[in-house]
Amino acid sequence: MIFMGTQWIPHNKTEEWSKIFVKVTENPLPSCIRKWQTFSSADGESGIKGYNLIFTEKGKGDEAIVEITKLLVPFWEIEGFRWKLEPLLGVSDSLKVLGKSE
């Protein structure tokens, strides 16, 4: 399963965010998470917008949601921090939904 986490950080909270990020990423990822890539861009007056692609081990999606949430708890202390987590479908799974594939 693949998740996309979107986060928003106010411009004046980036220093606070970076300190927490360094601390959270000191430890290896939980075994249910294969890979976690983070990208960011300016989001106008909303601050910095981050995109997180989180790849989980097959059959470990539920466990990964719990672990992802644990990793995010420290960021909740930042006033104005927002987070949204969405499951993603790959093209082959999307075709299955449309009845175009076995």
Side-chain angles (χ1 to χ4, degrees):
M1 180 173 273
I2 303 170
F3 293 100
M4 181 175 68
T6 309
Q7 63 185 352
W8 293 266
I9 305 125
H11 290 293
N12 64 341
K13 301 293 181 171
T14 55
E15 185 68 30
E16 189 176 346
W17 178 89
S18 63
K19 287 178 185 176
I20 294 170
F21 181 82
V22 167
K23 187 174 181 177
V24 167
T25 57
E26 285 176 347
N27 298 317
L29 290 171
S31 61
C32 59
I33 299 173
R34 284 188 304 142
K35 186 176 183 180
W36 187 322
Q37 293 180 291
T38 302
F39 306 90
S40 64
S41 65
D43 194 28
E45 292 180 14
S46 296
I48 305 298
K49 187 174 188 178
Y51 297 96
N52 298 267
L53 292 176
I54 306 163
F55 299 83
T56 68
E57 292 294 337
K58 189 171 181 85
K60 301 283 186 169
D62 291 345
E63 182 181 343
I65 290 172
V66 171
E67 294 300 328
I68 291 165
T69 304
K70 284 182 189 178
L71 290 168
L72 286 165
V73 167
F75 294 100
W76 297 346
E77 298 296 321
I78 300 172
E79 185 178 340
F81 175 84
R82 295 182 295 148
W83 172 261
K84 179 180 178 180
L85 187 65
E86 302 170 82
L88 300 178
L89 286 176
V91 173
S92 62
D93 288 335
S94 295
L95 290 173
K96 289 177 189 175
V97 169
L98 297 172
K100 304 289 185 188
S101 176
E102 296 178 24

